[in-house]
Amino acid sequence: MQVVQWYPGHMTKAKRAMKEDIKLIDLVIEILDARAPLSSRNPDIDELGRGKARLVLLNKADLADETANRVWEQSFLEQGLSTVRVDARNRGDMKPIQTAIRHACREKIERDLKRGIKNRPVRAMVVGIPNVGKSTFINSYAGRACAKTGNRPGVTRGNQWIRLSKEVELLDTPGILWPKFEDEQVGIRLAFLGSVKDEILGMEALSLELLAFLSRQYPEALMERYQFSETDVETEPEKMLRKIADRRNCLLKGNELDTEKAARLIIDDFRSGKLGRITLELPAEEQR
Ligand code: G4P
């Protein structure tokens, strides 16, 4: 399968704008998709966020395998990154983030105190590739306290600071990072997640990749969702796709199977969690 790396011109502009924004902040809140934390990460952030406090949110944790969530959390913690698993749609999940922010910024807070600066809020910015849940997170988090503090000098693009608490102010516009996929498998995982345009790979090819992965790693998910037998999950992905098209009445004129429609259905089932909680990759040392 051919995955093309592309980098639209507007991203160069976005990257420049982000560099400006990052100058204003103390803390980078990096949002990753818990189902593929490595693939949904743009390593540029290490360079862009140099010298800043860092917090990693493993978002959409509700859609990912809970055991794998814990493995990933541990892996990031071992790299010295404060990490929290979240469902950004759930306001209840925002509470532990406050504690994590304090932890991630402890050095800055101590430095301030030594200089006699008290109660200067931590300024934070959310970054991540498309579709990882940046806007959802900002809305959920800011929803509680949504007091905009107004424009400040030096803030680019008319950005505003949202005061989340006495301790934290968040830039209301997230920084968009572009997905990076030199590795073909990374491109495929990002397409499963909906972080690259579906047309790039094509639905049918994408669904075949997903079926192949699921039959290896989560055969029970296929058995449950599509009433597959143990023999069914061992057949080639093309056969599985046709079987699903047949069972779900995906038909073209003349009763021919509409495999394109079935492919869309499978990808949607994965994205919405109907196939269960699935993680696409594990840290290198425990690679699937
Ligand atoms: P972005 O700003 O990073 O691009 O992402 P955004 O917040 O727009 O979220 C993308 C989709 O993911 C939204 O679905 C949103 O509801 C969903 N989402 C965000 N966080 C979570 C989470 O923690 N768990 C789950 N299950 N879903 C989450 P959408 O509005 O339906 O858009 P789409 O999926 O149809 O594109």
Side-chain angles (χ1 to χ4, degrees), residues 211-224:
L211 287 169
F213 168 79
L214 292 172
S215 65
R216 280 195 311 273
Q217 300 294 340
Y218 292 94
E220 68 289 355
L222 292 173
M223 288 156 90
E224 196 160 311

Side-chain angles (χ1 to χ4, degrees), residues 1-4 184-185 187-188 191-192 200-210:
M1 178 176 279
Q2 184 74 27
V3 184
V4 188
E184 182 181 65
Q185 282 306 314
I188 291 169
F192 291 162
I200 295 194
L201 294 170
M203 265 299 148
E204 208 163 316
L206 201 57
S207 73
L208 294 175
E209 291 285 346
L210 185 59

